[in-house]
Amino acid sequence: MSSSESDAIRQQYMRRALSILLRGTNYDTATASSLDVLSTVGALYMQTMFAHVHAYAEHATRTRPNMNDVGRALDERRVSVGQLDSYRRTEAQIRSQPAVEAAVLRLHEQAEKWTSAD
């Protein structure tokens, strides 16, 4: 898969995820250009966070990150595990809808492909 194809797939999945998040926060519509901008910013944010997770692992002379590395990267961004858990619980109803559940499953599968390719 070429880099441009991979970028297009990431952009597509990020747009879907953002659409789900926006619906969950009572946004009825979003323009294509606003979704593109949010997708790009979201992808850059995630890439930066994952790079920091990887850097923490390398600093500890490990080749694979662990949950401590993820925790440090979240702390760096002032995001607590409690906040993530609270968000997860409030979104549980939305994710249990068949279409949303299928989209989340596809996102997980694609993430696994990306991480196993590295």
Side-chain angles (χ1 to χ4, degrees):
M1 180 183 307
S2 72
S3 176
S4 62
E5 289 173 334
S6 178
D7 289 343
I9 291 170
R10 287 179 184 152
Q11 188 78 2
Q12 177 186 4
Y13 279 107
M14 186 60 86
R15 283 179 63 129
R16 286 183 187 172
L18 286 169
S19 294
I20 292 167
L21 289 172
L22 289 172
R23 272 191 229 122
T25 56
N26 296 323
Y27 280 88
D28 293 329
T29 60
T31 63
S33 61
S34 63
L35 275 177
D36 286 340
V37 169
L38 284 171
S39 296
T40 300
V41 170
L44 290 172
Y45 179 84
M46 296 297 287
Q47 286 175 343
T48 301
M49 190 175 110
F50 294 147
H52 286 163
V53 169
H54 185 71
Y56 283 124
E58 284 184 338
H59 182 70
T61 65
R62 285 182 272 105
T63 57
R64 295 181 64 125
N66 63 26
M67 291 308 293
N68 291 327
D69 304 320
V70 173
R72 288 182 183 182
L74 289 172
D75 284 344
E76 192 175 88
R77 283 159 185 72
R78 296 187 180 118
V79 175
S80 72
V81 173
Q83 288 173 315
L84 291 175
D85 188 48
S86 174
Y87 174 78
R88 181 194 57 80
R89 278 185 268 129
T90 59
E91 294 298 313
Q93 289 180 329
I94 293 173
R95 285 194 325 244
S96 65
Q97 298 173 1
V100 176
E101 189 174 332
V104 169
L105 180 61
R106 285 192 301 269
L107 284 170
H108 284 288
E109 290 169 352
Q110 189 63 41
E112 287 177 17
K113 288 178 187 175
W114 290 336
T115 56
S116 66
D118 294 339

